[in-house]
Amino acid sequence: MLLAMFDHISIAVYNLDRAIAFYDAAFAPLGVRRLWTVADAAGYGYEGADEPFAVKQIPDSVEIGSNNATHVAFRASDRETVKAFHASALLHGGIDEGAPGLHPEYGSGYFAAFVRDPDGNRLEAVLHEAR
């Protein structure tokens, strides 16, 4: 059994409804779904598993920033899934940070796509192909 390094990851958003619409769509190609929603947060993961990823609304007075300080990469099962993640994210308010393709600067067989969510958090879908 592969053990996960993290128990969960939570990122800040300014508008929870907008974030839910974005993440519901962006995660669908990855097989990740929303598992719970409360007044100021929503949790995502695989059906029947604990939620490893959450979005939490913060006040507008707190700066999230749009640098690479927050970067979360999600595993994809194949190239088509990486492409679908990227396309769905862009259709739902994401900003292109790198089209799907090979990125040898990160390693042999590293196929990924990069987006920013509507609040500036940097996201990636990645496939580590056989070398």
Side-chain angles (χ1 to χ4, degrees):
M1 174 183 192
L2 179 65
L3 295 178
M5 181 177 186
F6 299 103
D7 180 71
H8 67 277
I9 296 171
S10 174
I11 64 168
V13 299
Y14 290 122
N15 181 311
L16 185 60
D17 291 333
R18 179 182 69 188
I20 286 172
F22 173 83
Y23 282 100
D24 283 0
F27 282 161
L30 301 174
V32 174
R33 62 181 293 270
R34 185 164 21 112
L35 301 176
W36 57 263
T37 307
V38 295
D40 66 346
Y44 291 85
Y46 296 108
E47 187 66 43
D50 292 336
E51 87 288 338
F53 184 82
V55 293
K56 179 162 179 48
Q57 186 166 323
I58 63 169
D60 290 340
S61 61
V62 177
E63 185 176 348
I64 294 174
S66 58
N67 57 33
N68 290 333
T70 299
H71 175 94
V72 182
F74 301 94
R75 289 185 181 163
S77 57
D78 54 41
R79 287 183 176 205
E80 291 308 311
T81 302
V82 172
K83 293 174 185 177
F85 163 84
H86 187 258
S88 186
L90 295 182
L91 282 173
H92 291 87
I95 299 166
D96 184 20
E97 284 280 310
L102 286 169
H103 291 271
E105 66 272 26
Y106 300 128
S108 175
Y110 197 102
F111 189 89
F114 305 87
V115 298
R116 286 198 189 273
D117 75 4
D119 292 293
N121 295 297
R122 193 163 190 259
L123 310 172
E124 170 185 355
V126 61
L127 170 67
H128 295 276
E129 296 177 325
R131 295 166 188 13

